[in-house]
Amino acid sequence: MQLTLWTYEGPPHVGAMRIATSMRHVHYVLHAPQGDTYADLLFTMIERQDKRPPVTYTTFQARDLGGDTANIVTRAVQDAVDRFAPKALLVGESCTAELIQDNPGSLAMGMNLGLPIIPLELPSYSKKENWGAAETFYQLVRTLLLERSKAREPRPGRDGRRPRVNLLGGTILGFRCRDDIAEVTKLLASLGVDVHVSAPLGAEPDDLRRLPDADANVCLYPEIALTTCSWLQRTFDMPTISTVPIGVGATRDFIAEVGRVLAIDVSGVLGGETLGAASLGSSQSRMPWYSRSVDATYLTGKRVFIFGDGTHVVAAARIASEELGFKVVGLGTYSREMARDVKACAEKYGVTALITDDYLDVERTVAELQVELVLGTQMERHIAKRLGVPCSVISTPIHVQDVPARYSPQMGFEGANVIFDAWVHPLMMGLEEHLLQMFREDFEFGDGASPSHLHSVAPAKPEGPASAMVSESHGPAITPVVSEPAPVSVQSPTATTVAEASGAQHETPSVAPTWSVDGEKELSKIPFFVRGKARRNTEKYAAAQGIDVITTETLYEAKAHYGR
Amino acid sequence: MSTSLPVVNEPATGGCTDAPVLRERGQREVFCGLTGIVWLHRKMQDAFFLVVGSRTCAHLLQSAAGVMIFAEPRFATAILQDRDLAGMADCNAELDRVVAELLARRPEITTLFRVGACPSEVIKLDLHTAAQRLDRENFPRVRVLSYSGSGIETTFTQGEDQCLKAMVPHLPAATDGQRRLMVVGTLADVIEDQFSRLFSQLGIGPVSYFPARRASDLPPVGPGTQLLLAQPFVGETVRALQARGATLLQAPYPLGADGTTRWLAAAAAAWDVPAEHFRRVTEPAQTRAATALQRYRGALEGKRIFFFPDSQLELPLARFLSRECGMQLVEVGTPYLDRLLTESELALLPAGTMLSEGQDVEKQLARCEAQHPDLTVCGLGLANPLEARGLRTKWSIELVFSPIQGYDQAGDLAELFVRPLDRSARLTV
């Protein structure tokens, strides 16, 4: 049994719903009790879909359990087929139905409905949403291509036509999939490559039957599409283009891989990309120049923590480190399926990957690492908010704010522009940071001062569709927050230490050095966003030097010792 | 509209007491009883709710709870995993471990509810016996109770009913036979305060609220306890309280000015409050409510409204909107019809109102579209799709989470229904 407060992923049948909802002419009959229909609101409210998800729920009740729940399934299947006339029908069960073992998939198969039935077995008590989505997509593709997969057809040559690829993995409730697909399509067009089928988002069953007619598959989101791409590769000898084009470097690598896999000349596009050049014309993205412009100097070495799904974390680590000059001090994922990739990535940056789906672990880590920017999910946004650290959202689980009205891709050259803005704006701007450091005692530069280009006070705005009902409350922080103790007796002219003044901690004299009133006052002149780090470094230094009472001198000695 | 005050004992014209009800069975677009935790954990600040269920339960709670409110909530889910399902002996040990972990982390918790969900009900995990054992071990520091919020047994607001019912056996016995008022069903704190002032001015008391702001403040019950219901979904709790000697005061619910007057009047009658005194105490608030309602009546009068079943508030809302705002009721759906709780409401509905119980959502959507009402009250899963088909909607869940009861909220309540119409009138895009 696992104690959970919040969860990064829903159950696997929600993953199946994402596939059904992403496509046209696919319907999903879900054997589930009342209440499981809550999942509809993810689609209609978070993603603001203007249609209901194509899902029929059997809605069985306790009083049905002794009787014929199987009958309820067949009736729901028949009704769904009659009413919606789908071209393919997914049939599965939610966690509760899994326990009563009606095997709805087999029941539907036995009904001779004259359309492809895809029975789904998604183990709810061991797997989660993304796995469910990947498995559903794979089963759907496999079922629809069953005949062709047996035929062992030879790979068709290109015969003078333009090369074409499938874009696989985009889904509803994925992170910016809608715009990524548009951006990657544009990018491929600039290389002379057509998009044959984009799936599951925007596709219908007949499109999936055409998948093998493309020259390669682009695995846009490995969480969702890797299983399918591997199967297509094994079965139809279709190569997989696996570079995820998030970030300038990755986009360039993606173009190169497309060229290699499709044996086409991409130098026309790649040639315009000049590595290491400091000018506006050096890339199709503005990001390299913005990052090299002197205004961005203040980004150098900022400590970032990255958490999310595997795809976006691995991409974000590279961008943070190589393209924005941050220092990656920690990263991790909630996606166990992607743990290996994320661990390998962590190794590259000399950190240990945090593989967990417990947001309290993440919060503890963020607090301990004294980070200056968090790149994460909506969970991390809240964690960061509570710890007073800027944050940008890079991954699912999504929130209504992650489905913006404007064009806002993450992939390709435009995606890199979007990322530059999204990650840099939450931070203090360069000169503002300097002014805050220099004139720390300006009465308008209180600790609550946020960047002047943002709202000075976080507005108590609704957080989500239903959130008007329950306001976001700031409950007791549960982790060892890097809290600033109240400035105890700062005005006191005596040289007593803070610990003495507050009459605390007599029993631990040398383990934790105490702060003198002077030292504490000097510390308070350091801007709040780096003060935690200064405090920690100074205390570490004092402990190492055997200093019991931290004075102003100690503070500056530690500063000299550690550097910025 | 006339400015005269509503006459409390005016006989209902026609009514729906014996009206036919369309009973439907099919796909339900309604939350399960776990959702009640979203407001119960805020109402009872010393209570913790531990759902014993699946990842679906955890996902439902965070999705329903405003998609993510990230204060550490006073609820959590113990997610059953494969190894728990393999052997039952493990489950109880695992739960004990989880509870110990929780209680260690949250020392301020005085009441722990272990909430059954669909999976724990289906595998027949006996939370009740286990809760009794844990209660013996942890009481008096922590009271451990259990109830089911599962979707196979409860719908949306029924979760609160089950929760309160679980507390009933632990209410102290009032053996003195003294006349006391118990208001049953969660109310916003501000509304409780308003009602307390009115009861006090009317000379009605002592008054207790169930649930109270602290789960450990259990109101006494016994012969002499008069139950006045604040919410139309506490049926089983009422029956359990009746079994402990309490008497139910039949009244409509305190929605709207007239509803509130009738609700207070039921208590006043039980306390033999002279009519003149009742009038003197309530008149200023009635006048204020009439003024507030006047502002919105024009926008609602004659408009046609359709209720999908959701919170059980449908009947009282329909009564308020038809009697006090002049709306026409196209269909009033309710998840279930408990006549013990709705007698007074049914009597006040216009004769001929189309009532439906349960749901077959596809059929109901077809009826709704055919009728093309001016306003449709429905759940979050249906609202945007209906908007996209040209219907104006009101989320029913907002009516559960907003303070809408009492005189001083009557205008706010009407405004909640005006807003979608107003918005639609403003937009040109």
Side-chain angles (χ1 to χ4, degrees):
Chain A
M1 225 171 266
Q2 182 198 3
L3 184 62
T4 303
L5 301 174
W6 301 108
T7 163
Y8 284 94
E9 290 184 77
H13 71 259
V14 169
M17 286 182 71
R18 283 171 58 185
I19 302 300
T21 309
S22 299
M23 294 185 61
R24 286 170 291 121
H25 305 305
V26 172
H27 200 85
Y28 183 22
V29 173
L30 185 63
H31 196 22
Q34 164 177 253
D36 286 3
T37 49
Y38 82 88
D40 284 2
L41 77 86
L42 305 171
F43 299 90
T44 63
M45 300 303 293
I46 296 179
E47 185 88 35
R48 293 189 220 248
Q49 292 258 295
D50 62 0
K51 295 189 295 288
R52 291 167 59 216
V55 182
T56 295
Y57 302 79
T58 59
T59 314
F60 61 85
Q61 299 178 2
R63 62 166 186 253
D64 302 321
L65 287 179
D68 198 1
T69 42
N71 204 17
I72 300 178
V73 174
T74 47
R75 204 165 50 231
V77 168
Q78 190 65 56
D79 282 354
V81 170
D82 294 346
R83 183 171 282 120
F84 301 104
K87 292 186 186 172
L89 187 71
L90 305 169
V91 182
E93 51 204 352
S94 76
C95 47
T96 307
E98 189 181 326
L99 297 171
I100 58 178
Q101 302 184 325
D102 280 329
N103 290 320
S106 317
L107 288 171
M109 297 283 273
M111 290 171 71
N112 297 317
L113 293 162
L115 78 162
I117 309 286
I118 297 91
L120 295 176
E121 284 184 24
L122 309 175
S124 307
Y125 299 93
S126 54
K127 300 291 190 184
K128 289 181 276 184
E129 178 179 338
N130 279 338
W131 184 90
E135 175 69 9
T136 302
F137 185 45
Y138 165 62
Q139 294 295 349
L140 187 57
V141 168
R142 223 179 64 131
T143 305
L144 294 171
L145 286 172
L146 193 65
E147 294 301 311
R148 288 192 67 176
S149 68
K150 285 178 190 158
R152 291 266 153 220
E153 23 181 312
R155 293 274 330 124
R158 214 181 283 160
D159 238 359
R161 66 162 164 77
R162 280 160 61 99
R164 59 195 185 201
V165 297
N166 301 315
L167 299 184
L168 302 184
T171 58
I172 293 288
L173 293 181
F175 196 74
R176 308 286 169 86
C177 294
R178 174 196 73 192
D179 297 343
D180 281 349
I181 289 169
E183 186 63 20
V184 172
T185 303
K186 243 187 281 180
L187 180 63
L188 289 167
S190 75
L191 303 171
V193 176
D194 293 330
V195 171
H196 181 59
V197 171
S198 168
L201 190 53
E204 63 152 292
D206 289 341
D207 295 327
L208 300 188
R209 291 193 174 93
R210 299 191 290 124
L211 286 175
D213 301 332
D215 300 310
N217 294 308
V218 176
C219 185
L220 279 185
Y221 305 94
E223 275 89 350
I224 310 297
L226 188 58
T227 323
T228 303
C229 288
S230 308
W231 182 78
L232 290 168
Q233 185 149 10
R234 279 198 314 275
T235 313
F236 293 95
D237 208 16
M238 296 181 75
T240 304
I241 294 166
S242 55
T243 305
V244 177
I246 301 181
V248 173
T251 299
R252 290 169 176 169
D253 292 351
F254 172 80
I255 295 169
E257 191 184 358
V258 168
R260 208 163 50 240
V261 169
L262 299 176
I264 55 170
D265 178 15
V266 293
S267 60
V269 175
L270 215 44
E273 295 289 311
T274 320
L275 261 118
S279 74
L280 204 44
S282 67
S283 170
Q284 290 168 75
S285 172
R286 289 182 199 95
M287 194 235 252
W289 167 241
Y290 274 41
S291 191
R292 284 174 183 276
S293 86
V294 290
D295 183 69
T297 309
Y298 71 101
L299 302 178
T300 313
K302 283 229 185 271
R303 298 166 61 84
V304 294
F305 176 80
I306 307 169
F307 197 85
D309 67 9
T311 303
H312 289 89
V313 163
V314 171
R318 177 172 179 187
I319 297 168
S321 169
E322 297 173 21
E323 301 178 13
L324 293 172
F326 295 146
K327 178 168 176 51
V328 177
V329 294
L331 58 79
T333 183
Y334 57 79
S335 167
R336 291 193 191 268
E337 291 84 15
M338 295 289 285
R340 210 176 48 180
D341 293 359
V342 172
K343 280 179 183 160
C345 170
E347 216 163 282
K348 201 154 51 175
Y349 299 102
V351 297
T352 311
L354 177 66
I355 313 293
T356 182
D357 59 359
D358 183 346
Y359 91 108
L360 294 174
D361 285 348
V362 179
E363 182 164 73
R364 243 178 325 264
T365 308
V366 172
E368 278 163 14
L369 287 173
Q370 303 268 321
V371 306
E372 293 168 277
L373 175 67
V374 173
L375 302 172
T377 72
Q378 286 294 331
M379 309 271 200
E380 283 69 45
R381 190 172 69 82
H382 284 264
I383 290 170
K385 191 169 169 185
R386 199 150 53 221
L387 298 176
V389 181
C391 177
S392 190
V393 175
I394 60 159
S395 160
T396 53
I398 66 166
H399 184 275
V400 69
Q401 288 176 353
D402 302 321
V403 191
R406 68 179 183 278
Y407 184 61
S408 195
Q410 300 289 288
M411 292 184 176
F413 293 121
E414 181 60 20
N417 294 337
V418 170
I419 286 172
F420 182 90
D421 291 347
W423 296 9
V424 167
H425 286 180
L427 298 167
M428 289 281 173
M429 305 295 263
L431 284 176
E432 188 172 28
E433 186 172 308
H434 291 304
L435 284 171
L436 274 169
Q437 300 221 31
M438 287 177 68
F439 306 110
R440 176 73 199 98
E441 290 180 356
D442 184 310
F443 66 94
E444 288 185 347
F445 289 165
D447 279 4
S450 12
S452 60
H453 60 290
L454 302 177
H455 293 289
S456 58
V457 181
K461 65 185 171 206
E463 290 283 314
S467 69
M469 321 151 190
V470 186
S471 63
E472 184 165 294
S473 57
H474 302 269
I478 50 268
T479 51
V481 179
V482 279
S483 61
E484 299 299 327
V488 183
S489 61
V490 167
Q491 282 96 345
S492 159
T494 65
T496 53
T497 67
V498 172
E500 278 164 355
S502 57
Q505 306 288 327
H506 286 300
E507 67 284 7
T508 54
S510 59
V511 179
T514 48
W515 286 78
S516 71
V517 171
D518 293 2
E520 189 79 40
K521 189 173 178 187
E522 201 66 18
L523 180 69
S524 74
K525 294 174 187 170
I526 296 171
F528 67 93
F529 46 87
V530 286
R531 198 182 308 146
K533 189 166 83 170
R535 174 186 291 281
R536 190 190 53 157
N537 282 349
T538 308
E539 288 173 357
K540 200 158 83 182
Y541 176 79
Q545 302 292 316
I547 296 169
D548 291 339
V549 178
I550 297 170
T551 61
T552 306
E553 293 299 303
T554 325
L555 181 70
Y556 287 114
E557 279 164 21
K559 186 174 184 238
H561 181 77
Y562 287 105
R564 183 182 160 265
Chain B
M1 188 185 114
S2 107
T3 52
S4 69
L5 297 169
V7 183
V8 173
N9 290 319
E10 158 203 356
T13 49
C16 283
T17 308
D18 301 311
V21 176
L22 173 67
R23 291 199 171 76
E24 285 197 303
R25 178 69 214 280
Q27 175 174 331
R28 282 190 168 209
E29 200 68 29
V30 183
F31 288 139
C32 64
L34 292 182
T35 326
I37 293 171
V38 174
W39 63 88
L40 288 168
H41 89 281
R42 289 281 163 216
K43 177 68 190 181
M44 297 185 272
Q45 297 179 10
D46 56 341
F48 195 98
F49 294 79
L50 176 64
V51 176
V52 183
S54 65
R55 185 166 301 281
T56 315
C57 308
H59 200 231
L60 156 86
L61 278 173
Q62 82 183 33
S63 305
V67 183
M68 286 183 198
I69 337 148
F70 274 85
E72 181 170 340
R74 285 184 297 270
F75 61 80
T77 308
I79 296 185
L80 290 162
Q81 291 169 317
D82 273 343
R83 55 193 161 85
D84 301 307
L85 298 174
M88 288 293 297
D90 269 354
C91 260
N92 282 315
E94 280 283 287
L95 259 179
D96 285 2
R97 176 183 63 77
V98 164
V99 167
E101 199 179 307
L102 262 178
L103 294 179
R105 262 168 72 94
R106 305 298 297 261
E108 75 283 14
I109 298 303
T110 70
T111 304
L112 174 72
F113 290 98
R114 304 217 304 181
V115 189
C118 298
S120 48
E121 297 297 325
V122 168
I123 63 169
K124 306 221 182 308
L125 187 59
D126 185 357
L127 291 178
H128 186 64
T129 310
Q132 285 179 331
R133 179 175 52 75
L134 278 174
D135 190 50
R136 279 194 300 275
E137 285 167 24
N138 289 286
F139 195 76
R141 205 210 110 191
V142 182
R143 166 131 269 159
V144 182
L145 300 173
S146 73
Y147 72 90
S148 170
S150 82
I152 56 176
E153 289 163 318
T154 61
T155 168
F156 194 11
T157 50
Q158 259 179 314
E160 173 166 340
D161 190 24
Q162 295 297 317
C163 173
L164 297 183
K165 186 182 147 199
M167 298 170 81
V168 170
H170 302 276
L171 302 187
T175 48
D176 54 6
Q178 194 201 337
R179 192 167 54 180
R180 50 184 91 227
L181 184 68
M182 186 193 287
V183 178
V184 187
T186 294
L187 283 172
D189 295 346
V190 58
I191 292 178
E192 250 182 52
D193 294 342
Q194 290 172 8
F195 284 150
S196 292
R197 285 196 293 272
L198 284 168
F199 287 132
S200 145
Q201 287 164 25
L202 289 168
I204 295 171
V207 181
S208 59
Y209 294 87
F210 184 43
R213 293 176 202 192
R214 292 183 58 79
S216 49
D217 292 344
L218 295 170
V221 64
T225 303
Q226 310 287 310
L227 306 175
L228 190 58
L229 308 188
Q231 299 286 3
F233 43 72
V234 290
E236 291 205 29
T237 304
V238 166
R239 290 174 179 93
L241 289 167
Q242 284 175 325
R244 292 201 55 184
T247 310
L248 174 63
L249 300 175
Q250 273 296 349
Y253 293 87
L255 298 178
D258 180 43
T260 303
T261 301
R262 289 171 187 271
W263 188 73
L264 291 170
W271 259 258
D272 306 313
V273 178
E276 178 52 27
H277 182 61
F278 183 82
R279 195 190 59 78
R280 215 171 35 245
V281 169
T282 56
E283 194 174 77
Q286 289 194 45
T287 309
R288 280 201 305 276
T291 309
L293 280 170
Q294 179 70 42
R295 183 174 310 122
Y296 301 111
R297 189 174 164 114
L300 296 176
E301 194 148 31
K303 295 283 194 305
R304 300 164 65 248
I305 189 164
F306 190 109
F307 286 88
F308 278 80
D310 199 63
S311 65
Q312 292 296 126
L313 283 164
E314 294 81 10
L315 258 54
L317 288 171
R319 180 262 305 158
F320 161 71
L321 291 169
S322 75
R323 289 176 61 92
E324 299 186 45
C325 302
M327 292 190 88
Q328 291 176 31
L329 308 176
V330 177
E331 175 172 339
V332 182
T334 184
Y336 60 97
L337 193 60
D338 183 344
R339 295 205 175 250
L340 178 70
L341 269 63
T342 50
E343 193 184 303
S344 306
E345 292 292 351
L346 286 170
L348 292 171
L349 283 175
T353 303
M354 156 87 175
L355 299 175
S356 63
E357 180 184 9
Q359 189 172 36
D360 183 333
V361 74
E362 303 294 349
K363 288 186 187 157
Q364 196 165 29
L365 281 167
R367 291 200 297 276
C368 181
E369 282 198 69
Q371 292 284 348
H372 205 88
D374 298 299
L375 195 57
T376 301
V377 183
C378 62
L380 294 171
L382 296 177
N384 267 338
L386 286 175
E387 289 282 344
R389 294 194 203 179
L391 295 174
R392 300 287 77 79
T393 61
K394 169 84 252 146
W395 308 340
S396 45
I397 196 168
E398 199 173 351
L399 299 159
V400 181
F401 290 168
S402 307
I404 56 171
Q405 295 82 2
Y407 289 122
D408 291 314
Q409 284 67 237
D412 301 346
L413 178 55
E415 194 274 340
L416 284 175
F417 292 92
V418 169
R419 209 179 305 172
L421 301 172
D422 176 26
R423 181 158 189 77
S424 154
R426 285 167 193 255
L427 299 183
T428 60
V429 290

